[in-house]
Amino acid sequence: NCCTMPLEVGLTDLVRLGLVEAFEAEHVEIRLIARRLLKVGAVEHFSHKHALFTLARRADGDCRFLDADTRRCTVYARRPETCRLHPGQKSPRPGWCAFGAREPDPARP
């Protein structure tokens, strides 16, 4: 199921996946990197607030790095931190899952 959920990644994950060069990550503003990745379709969303990118998925909703036939990760050795920590932590924002049951926020009535 996790391979069909939106996957939030940080800039270091994008470097590890080869979608962003290390030099670019160090010397280019993150908003410009986000604009480029959105334009080429590598990501479907960028959160300025959290500095997180949501990787683009295939038309069927699967992760772009999931082999359609074997259902195996094609970038396993370079997979994002979120995938490495799953199922303990499903997102770079601890306790948040795009499709999981939402816990009531005690600060909100």
Side-chain angles (χ1 to χ4, degrees):
N1 187 32
C2 64
C3 296
T4 62
M5 294 190 294
L7 178 60
E8 288 184 330
V9 298
L11 193 54
T12 56
D13 292 315
L14 294 174
V15 171
R16 187 181 314 116
L17 289 167
L19 297 173
V20 174
E21 296 292 327
F23 180 85
E24 181 183 18
E26 291 181 27
H27 300 289
V28 177
E29 288 183 49
I30 196 167
R31 67 179 180 80
L32 297 176
I33 294 171
R35 184 180 303 157
R36 178 181 68 78
L37 294 175
L38 285 163
K39 186 175 182 178
V40 299
V43 299
E44 58 188 41
H45 179 72
F46 174 66
S47 168
H48 295 277
K49 181 179 180 182
H50 299 287
L52 293 174
F53 300 82
T54 303
L55 288 180
R57 293 176 286 165
R58 292 196 312 252
D60 64 2
D62 283 348
C63 174
R64 66 184 290 165
F65 299 114
L66 184 68
D67 185 284
D69 296 324
T70 64
R71 305 296 291 170
R72 300 284 225 168
C73 181
T74 61
V75 294
Y76 188 80
R78 300 176 290 130
R79 69 193 184 279
E81 194 68 20
T82 302
C83 301
R84 292 170 188 266
L85 297 174
H86 187 77
Q89 175 184 346
K90 298 178 183 165
S91 167
R93 291 183 271 170
W96 183 83
C97 175
F99 286 99
R102 299 201 186 254
E103 295 292 323
D105 185 352
R108 298 181 98 186

